[in-house]
Amino acid sequence: MSPEDTSGKSSDTKGAIIYETKDVNSVQHEGMSIYSSDPKKSWFQNLVDGFREYELEELDPSLTPAERAAIATARSPLKRHLKNRHLQMIAIGGSIGTGLFVGSGKALRVGGPAGVIIAWILTGSMVYSVVQALGELAVTLPVSGSYMSYVSRFIEPSFGFAIAYNYLLSCLITMPLEIVAASLTVSYWNVPKKYADGFVALFYVVIVSINLFGVKGYGEAEFLFSIIKVLCIIGFIILGIVLVCGGGPNNEGYIGGRYWHNPGGFAHGFKGFAAIFVTSAFSFAGTEMFALAAAETENPRRDLPRAAKQVFWRITLFYIISLTLIGCLVPYTNKHLFAATSVDATASPFVIAIKDAGIKGLPSVVNVVILIAVLSVGNSCIFAGSRTVLSLSQYGYLPKIFAYVDRKGRPLVGLLLCMIFGLLSFLSASPKRPVVFEWMMAISGLSSFFTWGSVCICHIRFRRALAAQGRSTDELAFKAQTGVWGSIYGIILILIALVFQFWVALFPIGGRPSAETFFSAYLSLVVVLFFYMCHKLYTRNWTLFIRAKDLDIDTGRREVDLDLLKQEIREEKEYIASRPIWYRIYRFWC
């Protein structure tokens, strides 16, 4: 790519780009223009100016659509306000939500304690491979709307279009669902139903307000939310060990693996295990969120690898250990587990274990944490949805107005779209709410599997492109610890999970086959295929994939000098190798 490829920018031969801006109130930082307030204006004038569009130089019209889209996502004027501590907590606590606190109750009832542990270990290993692959891509190419950008660049545009819209629908739908879930969670304290709409409005305003503060507001909120969730899980692990050893107020004596023998380790045999595979995946949804924030991270090369590595600790400590303790403390025949369709603490196996031990007061504390977890998911949905809208517009898949980013780095039109969909939460007052929300959930049911599978394919294609273009992995600041084989492993497990879900959707446990049951579980696939075929028919481009030698693996890099980068990577490796073994082990995992 030559320096003349775009107007208002300069570039080295490797494709790293530095852009100019027409905004007079901006300063340059790491090649990116950052808006600063004018001290001569009043605070109100600066506030109003902050909402005005951030103007970038127009791209060269002679560029191909693919080149224009790649450059647009690379130079997106989103603010780089996320620090290492934000990414660490987003990585550690970003996916700890109702899937773990409440969804694990239904999983325990259907699959039994052994089924839960096996499902979560397999899903955790799959997600670990996905996050490693995504970490490598995000560190190398920290572009806006990363999932869609990678799929369109490393596979082909139609597939990227389908995956992006599926992900966007998931975010737009999940946000109002989580707001309603938060309002229902409050009912644990016997709040009158007539106040339900008031809580919906309150939580809606809270989530929207957080995101109007920009990426810094999102980062600080998730930092606080994640700390609370992590402390809750750590506290439960300590308490659970005490209870398993017989230290509870009820003094039942040593419990150990009692419930693994009676009523048993598996509730419905192999089919029960297959049925909870998607439930376990749902509990990990949001793990990939750290990569979506790559374009808004101060130092992605330093911070993103650490965030990607933290997934191992989250899987091991927070999921496997806590769920093992749950399996020891709560039998899958417990009557309270059959309320697992609820979102309040009565359906949570964590609360059931505490109540059965005779401990008072703590269930309300856990319910507060569940409420925070629900709001955290809603907060992440509006963040992710607005960035996906921005990326779709940059690729020409939405009108240009949706690419509006103000001088504070907020994708305002994308935020507005998410806010409009968030108003669906007020359907909670409708008598048709259960039916409407059931089908809304069906649209996003398998979204995570498609997102994760596409990431693994992108990683494989990225490595293939490096080899085909005579490049090596020595130029990568972070290489996936699981390598290409980890991505292959992830794809295999995802395919197995989809087969399991197809089987259970067609022949549900304890029920008869029906079209409603099947499509409520598999509607996401129909959505993906619909968008894929629509794009193919519209563009008349029947290419299944872009050839490896033609893939763009440079646009979006922040490192201008790759030779200097390689030298820095060698020096870092030599430094780590010179340190004691405990430090080398620490750096490998953290």
Side-chain angles (χ1 to χ4, degrees):
M1 184 178 292
S2 65
E4 293 78 24
D5 282 343
T6 63
S7 62
K9 74 173 179 61
S10 62
S11 168
D12 81 324
T13 57
K14 298 296 184 180
I17 303 169
I18 301 176
Y19 297 97
E20 295 178 357
T21 176
K22 295 189 291 185
D23 199 321
V24 296
N25 292 326
S26 64
V27 294
Q28 292 289 326
H29 174 65
E30 295 181 357
M32 196 69 191
S33 298
I34 297 178
Y35 172 78
S36 59
S37 300
D38 187 347
K40 298 180 180 179
K41 295 182 179 180
S42 67
W43 69 268
F44 181 76
Q45 288 176 312
N46 280 317
L47 176 66
V48 173
D49 287 344
F51 285 94
R52 292 176 178 170
E53 185 174 9
Y54 195 108
E55 297 182 10
L56 289 168
E57 291 289 338
E58 292 293 330
L59 295 175
D60 187 343
S62 64
L63 293 172
T64 66
E67 290 172 332
R68 291 173 63 87
I71 293 173
T73 55
R75 71 169 187 170
S76 182
L78 298 172
K79 298 304 181 187
R80 299 176 185 174
H81 286 164
L82 289 181
K83 303 179 183 295
N84 180 47
R85 63 182 178 89
H86 296 134
L87 281 182
Q88 292 298 317
M89 295 312 298
I90 289 173
I92 293 175
S95 66
I96 298 177
T98 54
L100 176 64
F101 287 119
V102 180
S104 57
K106 182 179 180 180
L108 180 61
R109 174 170 60 85
V110 175
V116 166
I117 297 302
I118 295 172
W120 256 262
I121 288 177
L122 288 176
T123 309
S125 64
M126 174 187 71
V127 173
Y128 182 68
S129 299
V130 171
V131 169
Q132 286 290 312
L134 188 55
E136 180 177 310
L137 293 172
V139 172
T140 306
L141 300 165
V143 297
S144 63
S146 58
Y147 314 138
M148 185 243 176
S149 301
Y150 298 149
V151 178
S152 295
R153 287 173 64 169
F154 299 132
I155 303 178
E156 61 95 24
S158 295
F159 196 49
F161 178 83
I163 293 297
Y165 266 99
N166 181 68
Y167 188 79
L168 175 60
L169 283 176
S170 176
C171 293
L172 295 177
I173 288 169
T174 302
M175 178 192 169
L177 291 177
E178 294 298 327
I179 292 175
V180 173
S183 68
L184 294 177
T185 302
V186 178
S187 65
Y188 176 77
W189 293 289
N190 298 318
V191 176
K193 291 184 178 180
K194 63 181 180 180
Y195 297 123
D197 284 348
F199 280 106
V200 168
L202 173 63
F203 297 140
Y204 175 85
V205 171
V206 168
I207 292 176
V208 169
S209 299
I210 289 173
N211 282 272
L212 285 178
F213 281 99
V215 68
K216 193 169 185 178
Y218 165 76
E220 294 296 348
E222 284 303 304
F223 180 76
L224 178 60
F225 291 160
S226 294
I227 285 179
I228 294 173
K229 290 185 286 185
V230 167
L231 290 176
C232 178
I233 294 295
I234 292 175
F236 177 81
I237 289 174
I238 296 172
L239 176 63
I241 293 173
V242 173
L243 296 179
V244 169
C245 294
N250 287 346
N251 195 23
E252 295 183 5
Y254 179 74
I255 298 176
R258 179 189 306 171
Y259 298 130
W260 284 62
H261 297 284
N262 183 23
F266 293 93
H268 294 91
F270 182 75
K271 193 170 187 177
F273 160 73
I276 66 173
F277 215 83
V278 173
T279 305
S280 64
F282 173 74
S283 71
F284 286 101
T287 306
E288 71 284 349
M289 195 65 66
F290 77 96
L292 193 66
E296 297 168 82
T297 303
E298 284 187 349
N299 191 337
R301 181 188 160 196
R302 179 196 65 196
D303 299 336
L304 288 177
R306 295 180 182 178
K309 293 176 182 180
Q310 292 294 327
V311 174
F312 171 80
W313 299 109
R314 179 167 68 243
I315 293 169
T316 303
L317 298 179
F318 299 151
Y319 283 82
I320 306 304
I321 295 179
S322 62
L323 290 175
T324 299
L325 293 170
I326 286 295
C328 292
L329 294 170
V330 182
Y332 67 76
T333 54
N334 189 294
K335 62 180 181 179
H336 297 292
L337 290 176
F338 290 83
T341 55
S342 170
V343 295
D344 60 52
T346 59
S348 170
F350 291 81
V351 171
I352 293 172
I354 295 171
K355 279 188 173 181
D356 289 350
I359 301 175
K360 298 180 180 180
L362 276 183
S364 289
V365 174
V366 174
N367 200 56
V368 171
V369 176
I370 292 174
L371 175 60
I372 290 173
V374 171
L375 292 176
S376 174
V377 174
N379 183 43
S380 296
C381 284
I382 192 171
F383 172 82
S386 60
R387 273 63 182 176
T388 305
V389 168
L390 172 63
S391 182
L392 280 166
S393 181
Q394 290 169 333
Y395 269 81
Y397 299 152
L398 278 175
K400 188 177 180 181
I401 186 62
F402 287 93
Y404 187 103
V405 178
D406 70 10
R407 296 179 179 182
K408 294 293 186 180
R410 295 167 296 199
L412 281 186
V413 179
L415 287 173
L416 179 61
L417 180 64
C418 293
M419 290 162 58
I420 292 173
F421 268 83
L423 295 174
L424 291 173
S425 56
F426 289 97
L427 286 173
S428 60
S430 170
K432 298 292 185 181
R433 183 196 71 190
V435 176
V436 174
F437 283 3
E438 179 182 355
W439 287 105
M440 286 172 62
M441 292 178 65
I443 293 176
S444 60
L446 299 175
S447 176
S448 292
F449 283 117
F450 298 131
T451 300
W452 296 339
S454 65
V455 167
C456 291
I457 297 174
C458 287
H459 181 233
I460 295 171
R461 296 277 295 154
F462 174 70
R463 288 290 189 94
R464 179 72 186 89
L466 281 175
Q469 297 177 25
R471 313 263 287 270
S472 73
T473 57
D474 291 340
E475 67 182 55
L476 303 181
F478 172 68
K479 289 183 284 189
Q481 294 172 324
T482 52
V484 174
W485 286 106
S487 295
I488 295 174
Y489 170 77
I491 293 173
I492 292 173
L493 277 188
I494 288 171
L495 292 175
I496 291 174
L498 292 175
V499 170
F500 282 171
Q501 180 68 355
F502 184 88
W503 176 35
V504 175
L506 201 58
F507 303 101
I509 295 175
R512 301 180 63 181
S514 70
E516 181 179 352
T517 301
F518 177 79
F519 282 106
S520 66
Y522 244 84
L523 188 59
S524 294
L525 179 60
V526 178
V527 172
V528 171
L529 292 176
F530 171 77
F531 281 113
Y532 179 80
M533 291 308 301
C534 284
H535 189 269
K536 284 294 184 189
L537 292 171
Y538 179 77
T539 60
R540 303 291 182 181
N541 181 2
W542 302 103
T543 303
L544 296 180
F545 61 90
I546 304 171
R547 298 178 64 181
K549 68 182 184 65
D550 297 326
L551 293 175
D552 179 6
I553 56 177
D554 286 315
T555 302
R557 286 177 178 260
R558 291 189 187 175
E559 295 86 0
V560 177
D561 190 338
L562 292 184
D563 291 330
L564 178 61
L565 173 63
K566 291 178 182 180
Q567 180 181 344
E568 291 176 354
I569 294 173
R570 285 194 298 269
E571 292 175 354
E572 289 175 4
K573 290 181 178 179
E574 291 173 359
Y575 172 74
I576 294 174
S578 67
R579 300 299 301 274
I581 186 170
W582 66 266
Y583 182 81
R584 297 199 299 270
I585 294 174
Y586 168 78
R587 285 299 301 269
F588 179 82
W589 291 114
C590 299

